[in-house]
Amino acid sequence: MLNSLSGKPWIWSFAATVIVWVVTVLFTGGSSSLGLTQAALTFAAFSVVVGIGQMFVITLGPGNIDLSVPATMTLSGTVALKVMDVQDSMILLGLILAIAIGIAIGVANFALIKLLRIPPIIATLSMSFIVQSSAIWTNRGLRIKPPEALADFSTSYTLGVPNVAIVAAALSVIAWVLLEKTIYGRWISAIGQSPFAARMAGIPVDGTRFITYVLCAVLASLCGYLLASFSGGAALNMGAEYLLMSIAVVVIGGTAVAGGNSNVPGIWGASLFMFLVVSMLNTYGFGAGVRLILTGLIIIGVILAAGGKPAAR
């Protein structure tokens, strides 16, 4: 049984999570175990939501990545809160608007990639500047509070589990079903392994890529909507840390960097691990510089380890 588990790419991120959690709790004498667990689930939830979207894109194969995630989060959170205007009756409209913004950005990203033949990394980076500028123009330096009911929901718990973690878990189940039980999941895996072979097999490569980029942007928008509600308002830099984080949790979680193989459980393990590493370093008195260096080294190490195996073509 241990051998079969060790072969699962997601098991290592969870093993690392448990080790870091134990080390942190032991340092505090066990007094913070419940609070640490709830905090880890809460903040990991946001990384999970954006990480799932990035995972879909990276599964499409080399060169596919979405760098517009932070700007999408910022714009959707900013516009949604401005439209809701602290009114509980406008919560649903704000959610619909956030999703619509995600769809529009996803469509624009793929239009740049397909119609103008711009590499995804350049297309989505360019789009991020446009989207972030729109967020700045919309925000105008104001920090609008979320509706009270939405703020209460995003900061509350159900049976001791943070509500945002429950939402992230529900989205994770949907993502797993899409990947493992639908033809769409088989299509993106086939495209990631070999776009040419997938096209020859009759798979709608362009249509599948289009849906994937839209899905990634929608998940980023949902994350921005939740994060702005949780933090008490939308800030222009609220999505900044999720550019690196959305990629890191995908790679550390066991998704193949070369494409063709995705891993939803690993996103959770990696997200929890990344938060707990920061908590552990803070507990031991290390600064942000050490945290960033360690994050970079972890990503490099995982990429090198993944590079040791021949990618499926």
Side-chain angles (χ1 to χ4, degrees):
M1 182 178 179
L2 289 177
N3 288 335
S4 63
L5 281 177
S6 63
K8 302 290 185 182
W10 52 264
I11 196 65
W12 300 108
S13 60
F14 279 100
T17 297
V18 172
I19 292 171
V20 175
W21 183 87
V22 169
V23 170
T24 305
V25 169
L26 287 177
F27 184 83
T28 60
S31 60
S32 63
S33 58
L34 177 59
L36 179 63
T37 302
Q38 291 180 326
L41 288 171
T42 298
F43 289 98
F46 301 114
S47 299
V48 167
V49 175
V50 292
I52 289 172
Q54 197 73 266
M55 177 194 67
F56 277 108
V57 172
I58 290 176
T59 302
L60 287 172
N64 286 285
I65 196 169
D66 189 348
L67 299 185
S68 65
V69 164
T72 302
M73 291 175 60
T74 302
L75 181 61
S76 63
T78 299
V79 173
L81 291 193
K82 190 170 185 177
V83 169
M84 289 186 289
D85 195 25
V86 203
Q87 301 178 46
D88 290 344
S89 61
M90 299 292 284
I91 291 177
L92 180 58
L93 179 60
L95 176 60
I96 293 173
L97 185 58
I99 294 174
I101 289 172
I103 293 173
I105 294 173
V107 170
N109 276 334
F110 188 73
L112 291 176
I113 295 169
K114 178 62 179 176
L115 300 181
L116 301 183
R117 299 186 181 279
I118 300 176
I121 191 171
I122 302 300
T124 56
L125 179 62
S126 302
M127 182 55 60
S128 72
F129 289 122
I130 297 173
V131 174
Q132 186 69 22
S133 298
S134 301
I136 294 172
W137 179 81
T138 304
N139 184 277
R140 297 180 184 274
L142 301 176
R143 189 176 177 89
I144 304 172
K145 293 183 178 180
E148 184 176 356
L150 184 57
D152 289 344
F153 171 81
S154 60
T155 56
S156 297
Y157 302 85
T158 299
L159 299 177
V161 180
N163 287 337
V164 290
I166 295 174
V167 173
L171 292 173
S172 300
V173 171
I174 294 172
W176 183 86
V177 171
L178 281 175
L179 287 168
E180 302 293 334
K181 303 298 181 181
T182 69
I183 193 171
Y184 168 74
R186 293 192 290 272
W187 282 351
I188 64 170
S189 294
I191 294 170
Q193 293 172 25
S194 174
F196 176 76
R199 201 180 296 274
M200 293 298 292
I203 295 174
V205 174
D206 291 335
T208 304
R209 294 179 70 205
F210 169 75
I211 293 173
T212 304
Y213 275 93
V214 170
L215 181 59
C216 180
V218 167
L219 287 170
S221 291
L222 287 174
C223 186
Y225 178 85
L226 288 172
L227 183 59
S229 303
F230 173 81
S231 58
L236 291 176
N237 63 343
M238 72 177 193
E241 68 177 279
Y242 291 95
L243 175 57
L244 174 62
M245 188 64 71
S246 67
I247 301 170
V249 297
V250 172
V251 176
I252 297 172
T255 293
V257 180
N261 185 27
S262 51
N263 195 319
V264 175
I267 298 290
W268 271 99
S271 297
L272 290 167
F273 173 69
M274 295 297 287
F275 173 81
L276 289 170
V277 163
V278 174
S279 298
M280 181 182 69
L281 293 175
N282 288 338
T283 300
Y284 282 87
F286 292 103
V290 175
R291 182 187 73 216
L292 293 175
I293 292 172
L294 181 58
T295 301
L297 290 175
I298 290 172
I299 295 173
I300 292 172
V302 173
I303 291 176
L304 289 176
K309 299 177 182 180
R313 296 290 179 188

